[in-house]
């Protein structure tokens, strides 16, 4: 290079790992850099949330292209192993096409989770598909900044005519993002009917919890349905009737859905009616713990009880209290299972691993004076793939017991 030639300019700034950071884990596929692992000088601190940067190790070897948010405990997320990658509509389209190919292999109908964040190469992004509609959850600052390109690529790759942005939830708060839900593309006439495991679910894409439906429980709904034929079912923390409707479709004689949300229970009733099972579903709105205590006081008993509560331990500081809550759920629910009946207990808490959750459930069952056989351990469906290097991507746990 001659003295008159300008040095080459980088497309993005550089951020660097501290000497004690574990660069090898990142080279082997771990997608996150924590705040205490990155050199946070004034230049890095000045990067806007969601800015793109080239990540280097302490010896200045390039590791890839990352997105940086100095407001987050996860200060950098790996986007591409190629430091020169261009994050544009074509880049999103390639990631979406790869994810779509897997789901089309797995499912006959276009109702599934299309993008499961880091496991599908789009950190902090969730996309659920509902036929010709899709819901995007941009839970990281970089995704919010690139939302227009992502939505355009989504329409291009899948052909969906309606796209909703669901900007709600704890993850966005951790990224410093405001809550906002709006229709980006197309129109919505109301809840979308979703056929799954023989049942019909009504998904409210604009006003429901998360994206409107929990696809992750699909295989666990199916297992519960195998236990439900000819029996009485109690579905606690039911949302829009997840376990209850699957069990009715499989021949349960009756189902009671309990949830704190009256709108969710109304959607459950609407789904049951669409299945021709409106008379077989009863609902009870209110606090789940109080409802289970009241049912016990009434002398109620069910052949199958399933509890799918919200995340009681979303992060490590909540782990001890969360495990106590899961133990209490197991205690109250076990008392409502008829002799020889079945109990299903679920957790979507990232901080509570399978062993800790299983122990809490066993303690609760024992405290209820019941003896249980663990007959099934389940997780999320294959449209919720796990990134092997990131244990948090395998968050869902489902345990089914047969009680004496």
């Amino acid at each position: 290079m001659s003295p008159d030639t300008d040095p080459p300019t980088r497309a993005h700034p550089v951020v660097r790992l501290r000497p004690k950071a574990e660069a090898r884990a990142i080279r082997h596929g771990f997608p996150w850099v924590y705040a205490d692992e990155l050199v946070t000088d004034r230049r890095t601190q000045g990067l806007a949330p969601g800015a793109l940067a080239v990540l280097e190790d302490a010896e200045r070897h390039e590791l890839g292209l990352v997105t940086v948010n100095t407001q987050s405990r996860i200060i950098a997320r790996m986007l591409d192993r190629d430091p020169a990658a261009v994050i544009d509509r074509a880049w999103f389209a390639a990631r979406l096409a790869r994810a779509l190919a897997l789901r089309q292999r797995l499912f006959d109908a276009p109702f599934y989770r299309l993008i499961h964040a880091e496991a599908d190469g789009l950190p902090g992004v969730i996309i659920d598909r509902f036929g010709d509609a899709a819901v995007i959850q941009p839970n990281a600052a970089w995704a919010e900044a690139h939302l227009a390109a992502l939505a355009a690529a989504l329409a291009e790759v899948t052909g969906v005519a309606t796209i909703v942005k669901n900007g709600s939830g704890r993850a966005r708060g951790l990224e410093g993002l405001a809550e906002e839900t709006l229709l980006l593309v197309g129109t919505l006439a109301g809840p979308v009917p979703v056929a799954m495991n023989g049942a019909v679910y009504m998904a409210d894409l604009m006003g429901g919890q998360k994206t409107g439906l929990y696809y992750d429980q699909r295989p666990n709904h199916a297992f519960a349905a195998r236990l439900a034929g000819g029996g009485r079912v109690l579905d606690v923390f039911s949302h829009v009737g997840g376990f209850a409707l699957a069990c009715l479709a499989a021949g349960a004689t009756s189902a009671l859905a309990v949830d704190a949300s009256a709108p969710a229970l109304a959607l459950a009733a609407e789904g049951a009616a669409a299945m021709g099972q409106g008379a077989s579903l009863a609902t009870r709105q209110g606090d789940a713990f109080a409802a289970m205590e009241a049912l016990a006081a009434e002398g109620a008993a069910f052949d199958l009880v399933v509890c799918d509560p919200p995340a009681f331990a979303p992060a490590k500081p909540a782990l001890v209290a969360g495990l106590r809550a899961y133990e209490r759920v197991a205690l109250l629910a076990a008392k409502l299972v008829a002799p020889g009946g079945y109990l299903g207990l679920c957790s979507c808490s990232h901080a509570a691993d399978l062993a800790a959750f299983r122990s809490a459930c066993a303690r609760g069952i024992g405290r209820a004076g019941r003896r249980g056989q663990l007959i099934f351990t389940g997780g999320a469906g294959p449209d919720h793939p796990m990134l092997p290097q990131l244990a948090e991507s395998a968050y869902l746990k489902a345990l089914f017991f047969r009680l004496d």
Side-chain angles (χ1 to χ4, degrees):
M1 181 182 297
S2 70
D4 296 327
T5 303
D6 292 332
T9 57
R10 287 183 176 272
H12 303 294
V14 172
V15 293
R16 189 167 296 118
L17 293 177
R18 295 177 184 271
K20 293 184 178 180
E22 185 53 81
R24 183 167 57 182
I26 294 172
R27 287 194 182 92
H28 291 174
F30 188 72
W32 294 347
V33 179
Y34 294 105
D36 61 355
E37 296 178 313
L38 199 72
V39 176
T40 50
D41 54 20
R42 185 183 305 173
R43 181 179 51 82
T44 300
Q45 288 287 356
L47 294 175
L52 304 181
V54 174
L55 178 67
E56 294 182 346
D57 65 16
E59 286 74 41
R60 299 178 183 268
H61 300 126
E62 292 181 339
L63 297 172
L65 185 68
V66 297
T67 172
V68 179
N69 186 351
T70 58
Q71 300 180 28
S72 174
R73 186 176 71 93
I74 304 171
I75 196 170
R77 300 170 186 258
M78 184 63 69
L79 292 180
D80 201 301
R81 298 288 160 182
D82 179 4
V86 177
I87 309 303
D88 58 9
R89 176 172 170 168
W91 184 88
F92 281 112
R95 299 281 165 118
L96 289 163
R98 181 176 182 272
L100 180 62
L102 172 63
R103 277 65 180 187
Q104 289 179 329
R105 174 74 66 174
L106 294 169
F107 300 104
D108 295 330
F111 295 87
Y112 40 66
R113 172 149 296 180
L114 176 62
I115 292 292
H116 192 50
E118 278 79 355
D120 281 304
L122 293 178
V125 177
I126 297 297
I127 302 178
D128 282 350
R129 185 173 182 184
F130 301 86
D132 64 356
V135 180
I136 302 174
Q137 286 188 296
N139 293 330
W142 81 276
E144 185 78 19
H146 293 83
L147 184 59
L150 171 57
L154 176 62
E156 171 193 336
V157 170
T158 66
V160 295
T162 298
I163 301 176
V164 174
K165 170 193 173 182
N166 184 312
S168 63
R170 173 178 175 272
R172 284 179 63 87
L174 296 176
E175 286 277 307
L177 299 172
E179 294 209 359
E180 177 186 57
T181 296
L182 53 87
L183 191 61
L184 296 178
V185 177
T187 60
L188 273 175
V192 176
V194 177
M196 194 162 59
N197 288 319
V200 177
Y201 298 93
M202 304 304 295
D204 182 356
L205 307 192
M206 290 289 293
Q209 297 175 29
K210 300 291 186 179
T211 63
L213 193 65
Y214 293 103
Y215 282 129
D216 54 359
Q217 288 282 18
R218 185 182 337 224
N220 302 316
H221 290 164
F223 182 80
R226 293 170 60 186
L227 305 175
R232 303 155 295 172
V233 175
L234 173 63
D235 182 4
V236 186
F237 307 98
S238 180
H239 189 223
V240 297
F243 284 94
L245 298 186
C247 290
L248 287 176
T253 57
S254 65
L256 172 61
V258 175
D259 201 89
S261 169
L265 290 176
L267 290 171
E270 190 176 342
M275 296 162 52
Q277 296 272 8
S280 301
L281 179 73
T283 63
R284 184 177 293 204
Q285 189 268 329
D287 176 78
F289 293 97
M292 286 192 284
E293 290 174 339
L295 286 167
E298 296 164 15
F302 301 87
D303 301 296
L304 170 63
V305 177
V306 185
C307 298
D308 183 17
F312 290 142
K316 287 183 179 179
L319 179 58
V320 173
L323 291 174
R324 279 199 293 263
Y326 287 123
E327 182 177 339
R328 187 178 174 217
V329 167
L331 167 66
L332 295 175
K335 292 182 177 180
L336 296 171
V337 178
Y342 301 92
L343 173 62
L345 299 168
C346 306
S347 166
C348 58
S349 292
H350 293 275
D353 64 18
L354 176 60
F357 175 60
R358 188 171 54 221
S359 294
C361 293
R363 287 194 300 272
I365 292 170
R367 287 178 56 202
R370 306 297 297 272
R371 177 181 175 274
Q373 298 168 290
L374 179 59
I375 60 172
F376 179 80
T377 300
D383 52 343
H384 293 63
M386 177 189 179
L387 185 65
Q389 297 87 349
L390 189 65
E392 289 88 342
S393 60
Y395 61 96
L396 182 63
K397 298 157 284 284
L399 305 175
F400 281 81
F401 301 84
R402 183 174 185 268
L403 301 189
D404 60 9

